[in-house]
Amino acid sequence: MLQIVPLCMLCGFNASFLMSIIPTSMHFNENNANMLYIPAIYSLGAGTGEVLMGLIISESSKRIQGFGLKPTMAIGTAALMVYCTLIHASTPAEAPMKPTSEEPLLFYQSYPLIFVIALICGISDCCFNGVRSVICALVMPSRRAQSFSVSRMYQAAACVIIFFFSPMLPLHVYTVGLPLLAILSTFVFFKVVNSTERMERKLTSDTNLEQEKI
């Protein structure tokens, strides 16, 4: 169970970042002062990303064995890196902490960009929460409810940590730290999946041998 702690923490950090830190930084960015519909556009994009990715995972899992594990985790990590890059390039460094008129690194935000960022955020969140649910069931098949509850505890702890320190953390802490955590979580997740697959093959092989003896 401890092997999936990085993934559980990533789910918490990512959820807090996309639901609170990003919208706050967009409002604190005084370059967006005339953009009154940021909450609506951002919410629409995030919701669309969640639903769209959920449908993709559902349909692809029917056609591709194991799509809900490694491929979904890889998609989530890639999506996180993309949206962190877009946010880093378009948001002032102090925007998560206080109102600022500082210039962005590369380009200004617009409604289409905000929608795209939110869409990719929703995709990544759906991927991470999906693989967490699946791996909890695989790691502890006889105690699925307990393992999922423990994973939610780690996720909640991550949310508390990031909310507590958010008034003191500049933007690059999130946009650099989250991708690094995502990469670490991906490597650990792949290792757990490989271990689980080997265990399943061994159990299947043992079962077949017993049936042949009978």
Side-chain angles (χ1 to χ4, degrees), residues 69-80 127-128 131 186 189-190:
L69 291 169
K70 291 181 180 179
T72 300
M73 184 66 187
I75 293 171
T77 300
L80 183 143
C127 289
F128 293 142
V131 295
T186 301
F189 179 81
F190 278 29

Side-chain angles (χ1 to χ4, degrees), residues 19 31 42 74 99 104 110 112 116 129 133 150 154-155 161 176 188-189 191 194 209 211-213:
M19 288 191 296
N31 298 306
Y42 186 85
S110 62
V116 169
N129 282 288
S133 300
V150 172
Y154 286 117
Q155 180 178 352
I161 292 170
V176 174
V188 175
F189 179 81
K191 183 178 179 181
N194 290 336
L209 288 174
Q211 290 177 348
E212 289 176 0
K213 290 179 181 179

Side-chain angles (χ1 to χ4, degrees), residues 112-134:
L113 178 61
I114 289 172
F115 180 83
V116 169
I117 289 174
L119 181 75
I120 302 173
C121 285
I123 289 172
S124 69
D125 185 61
C126 181
C127 289
F128 293 142
N129 282 288
V131 295
R132 185 200 60 190
S133 300
V134 174

Side-chain angles (χ1 to χ4, degrees), residues 30-43:
E30 294 183 358
N31 298 306
N32 298 339
N34 295 325
M35 300 171 65
L36 303 179
Y37 299 103
I38 289 178
I41 299 298
Y42 186 85
S43 300

Side-chain angles (χ1 to χ4, degrees), residues 163-185:
F163 281 139
F164 184 81
F165 289 104
S166 60
M168 300 173 281
L169 298 178
L171 182 70
H172 64 266
V173 173
Y174 304 103
T175 55
V176 174
L178 276 176
L180 292 177
L181 178 59
I183 292 172
L184 172 64
S185 300

